[in-house]
Amino acid sequence: MPLKDDLQKIIKGEVLNDDQTLTTYSKDASIFEIKPQAVVYPRDCEDIKKLVAFVNQDPNNLSITPRAAGTDMTGGAIGEGIILDVSKHLNKLIRVTKDSATVQPGMFYRDFEAETLKKGLLLPTYPASREICAVGGMAASNAGGELELAYGPINKYLRKVKVVLADGNEYTFEALNQNQLDKKIAQKDFEGKIYSEVYNLIENNRKIIEESRPKVSKNSTGFDLWNVWNEETFDLTKLIIGSQGTLGIITELEFKLVKPKKNQVLLVIFLPNLLELDKVVQKVLESKPEAFECFDDQTLKLAVDHAWDLTKSFKHSNRLSAYLQFLPEKWQKTLPSLTLLANFTADSVSEAKEKAMAAKLALASFNLKTEIKNTPATQEKYWLIRHKSFGLLMKYAKNSKASSFIDDIIVKPEYLPEFLPKLNALIAPYKDRMVYTLAGHIGDGNFHIIPLMDLSREEVRAVIPELMEKVFKLVFEYKGSMSAEHNDGLIRGPYLPEMYGEKMYQLFKSIKQIFDPKNIFNPHKKVDATFKYSLDHIVKS
């Protein structure tokens, strides 16, 4: 009997395997392409449990790759077996309390945020793709964004998560005290085995784990063994978040929420060069911006060249007045090398203005052009350029593809004046085969570099492993991480031993083995990734 029929017999949701569906689901937002055997839209958790039980008994080594919005930039949402799309049915907001929200993984973040804001609450660690990504994908990749500077990483806000594990049962993970942990370890079942083995792994390898801790403010590579057990609380949500569906399938999430500040004032800083970037960044950080973002001259040029199109996204200005805001840049002979956006928030407008003015005055000795934007209408242009940069690249890449492979590197801001020129020098020899833009979170040294490349040409595809090796070596030299927010997937998984060392890498592999002994969850990602498999699946068009 065909796989589609076998699956449809056991679940209530839909199963598709027509060519158009399989072609659509063979890609995400990455440079990879893998055609699945079937796409399943589970109706509920029971469907997922039955699917895992089926795959466990299947003799053909079937696998399950969870997927929500498909915006993963690492190849994490594609696979050879069954694609499990939770966005069609498992997309509901379950409840909002005075300080938290419980949600299904397939709900789009934009819809989730709209509901929480009705209660005056916000999940502050949303990514720049907030309009098109789903909450489950944010958790699965340990996504971050502009407010992470002030509020910290998303794993700080995940209180509880429900997950279907490899035995086909659903479990709830949350922070446990010592007594609760002891009871879990004493269980003679799959859950007890996981708690026992993870606890022993951490206890027996504390030195290796701590010595391997990334020396940056955020990191989404590997499995987060650093924050599971602090000798007071034991929290397996830290392993599930950022695991990209390689340890189990998320069915429900509970997030702690915050009350956002009501008013914001934006300080825009135009840098002609990078010579004193570290000092500028440090001066601004002293005034404690909620967000501190940046984009380069290529990003700005792209926005200016397509300004009329971009004006469709303006909400606080009509299209003509929005377009007129781009005229100064259209007339400029030289665009700023880097544009910095420091956003100051407070409960009152006057307090937000005071913070922005303090930062502006602190920069007086640098003789830089700076502007304070007090209203949403005057701020909108700059935030749209920052948030829409990747979308513009993808839209106007004519014969090229926006290729995410060195797109999420992070080093401490203090290293930037040395690091960025060296980074540009590494990329410069490849400019005949690609163009690129740079944008990101300047406040914590996290950059998104997304080249445009014609991947139909073999000599262009050859750039990817060659340049990755050089860029990551530079990142590791400065004690950074190859991914602050976008995770490993197919693209960075093969580099985990180089980043962490073989001993820590083996601990990551042990975690995968503990949770998924038959390797049924999203294979070829993270610790199961290989250079050959990944390179073999790069798109050729």
Side-chain angles (χ1 to χ4, degrees), residues 514-533:
I514 289 168
F515 277 84
D516 185 21
K518 291 186 178 180
N519 197 26
I520 63 172
F521 292 132
N522 212 6
H524 303 292
K525 319 293 161 57
K526 292 182 87 69
V527 297
D528 192 33
T530 64
F531 287 107
K532 184 180 187 314
Y533 186 88

Side-chain angles (χ1 to χ4, degrees), residues 323-358:
Y323 182 75
L324 292 176
Q325 294 179 41
F326 287 90
L327 292 184
E329 286 83 9
K330 282 183 176 289
W331 293 334
Q332 277 181 247
K333 290 184 179 180
T334 304
L335 295 175
S337 178
L338 209 60
T339 302
L340 311 185
L341 311 178
N343 200 45
F344 297 92
T345 59
D347 290 326
S348 69
V349 176
S350 59
E351 185 183 350
K353 285 182 179 178
E354 286 176 12
K355 292 180 180 179
M357 184 55 69

Side-chain angles (χ1 to χ4, degrees), residues 364-433:
S365 63
F366 294 95
N367 195 30
L368 298 171
K369 180 184 175 184
T370 61
E371 296 177 2
I372 289 180
K373 307 295 182 181
N374 293 318
T375 66
T378 58
Q379 297 165 7
E380 190 168 28
K381 163 187 164 182
Y382 296 99
W383 286 121
L384 282 173
I385 294 172
R386 169 64 186 92
H387 294 153
K388 297 283 187 179
S389 57
F390 181 57
L392 286 171
L393 272 171
M394 293 183 72
K395 184 171 183 178
Y396 295 108
K398 296 184 179 178
N399 296 321
S400 301
K401 180 178 176 60
S403 305
S404 305
F405 64 98
I406 50 171
D407 60 293
D408 190 34
I409 56 179
I410 179 172
V411 298
K412 286 185 176 181
E414 63 204 63
Y415 296 137
L416 293 179
E418 288 182 24
F419 176 81
L420 287 178
K422 289 182 180 180
L423 177 66
N424 284 324
L426 288 179
I427 298 175
Y430 301 94
K431 286 186 176 179
D432 61 326
R433 284 166 282 177

Side-chain angles (χ1 to χ4, degrees), residues 171-354:
Y171 299 95
T172 299
F173 293 143
E174 59 187 320
L176 305 179
N177 60 32
Q178 182 71 64
N179 288 336
Q180 292 169 320
L181 173 61
D182 290 343
K183 290 179 181 177
K184 290 288 187 184
I185 291 175
Q187 292 176 194
K188 304 299 183 184
D189 56 12
F190 188 66
E191 184 184 28
K193 176 177 177 292
I194 284 177
Y195 275 97
S196 175
E197 293 187 5
V198 173
Y199 173 80
N200 288 331
L201 182 144
I202 294 173
E203 280 291 294
N204 294 334
N205 297 279
R206 281 191 171 277
K207 185 178 180 182
I208 294 172
I209 293 170
E210 194 53 43
E211 287 178 350
S212 301
R213 183 188 290 271
K215 307 298 189 294
V216 285
S217 61
K218 54 185 178 179
N219 168 63
S220 67
T221 65
F223 297 120
D224 187 7
L225 280 167
W226 303 277
N227 295 306
V228 173
W229 173 231
N230 63 6
E231 299 188 13
E232 291 183 4
T233 59
F234 191 91
D235 189 357
L236 288 181
T237 70
K238 306 300 185 187
L239 288 183
I240 298 301
I241 195 166
S243 64
Q244 290 192 295
T246 61
L247 303 183
I249 300 168
I250 294 172
T251 56
E252 188 177 296
L253 307 110
E254 181 184 322
F255 290 104
K256 179 177 72 172
L257 305 179
V258 303
K259 290 185 179 295
K261 302 294 185 182
K262 296 179 180 178
N263 298 283
Q264 61 182 42
V265 174
L266 181 66
L267 174 64
V268 185
I269 306 159
F270 305 94
L271 291 182
N273 55 59
L274 306 177
L275 295 179
E276 296 184 295
L277 177 61
D278 60 327
K279 297 183 180 67
V280 171
V281 169
Q282 187 55 47
K283 279 294 181 184
V284 174
L285 288 176
E286 288 173 5
S287 296
K288 299 192 182 310
E290 184 179 73
F292 195 9
E293 300 292 286
C294 73
F295 52 80
D296 69 350
D297 52 354
Q298 293 300 314
T299 303
L300 181 55
K301 184 178 185 305
L302 187 70
V304 172
D305 288 346
H306 302 286
W308 184 248
D309 192 8
L310 195 59
T311 59
K312 289 188 296 188
S313 299
F314 277 65
K315 296 178 181 178
H316 300 285
S317 305
N318 62 52
R319 290 196 73 179
L320 180 58
S321 61
Y323 182 75
L324 292 176
Q325 294 179 41
F326 287 90
L327 292 184
E329 286 83 9
K330 282 183 176 289
W331 293 334
Q332 277 181 247
K333 290 184 179 180
T334 304
L335 295 175
S337 178
L338 209 60
T339 302
L340 311 185
L341 311 178
N343 200 45
F344 297 92
T345 59
D347 290 326
S348 69
V349 176
S350 59
E351 185 183 350
K353 285 182 179 178
E354 286 176 12

Side-chain angles (χ1 to χ4, degrees), residues 4-46:
K4 178 181 183 294
D5 296 339
D6 285 340
L7 295 175
Q8 197 64 77
K9 280 172 56 179
I10 63 170
I11 69 168
K12 301 183 289 292
E14 302 85 357
V15 181
L16 297 178
N17 67 347
D18 59 280
D19 286 342
Q20 182 177 345
T21 298
L22 297 185
T23 298
T24 298
Y25 282 85
S26 68
K27 296 179 181 179
D28 50 14
S30 71
I31 59 174
F32 300 103
E33 182 175 18
I34 302 174
K35 195 168 187 177
Q37 296 180 49
V39 177
V40 173
Y41 305 90
R43 183 75 59 175
D44 51 26
C45 179
E46 289 304 311

Side-chain angles (χ1 to χ4, degrees), residues 96-100 113-123 257-262:
V96 180
T97 71
K98 63 180 180 179
D99 68 346
S100 70
E113 184 185 86
E115 293 301 315
T116 63
L117 285 177
K118 290 178 183 177
K119 305 282 189 178
L121 298 169
L122 178 73
L123 176 62
L257 305 179
V258 303
K259 290 185 179 295
K261 302 294 185 182
K262 296 179 180 178

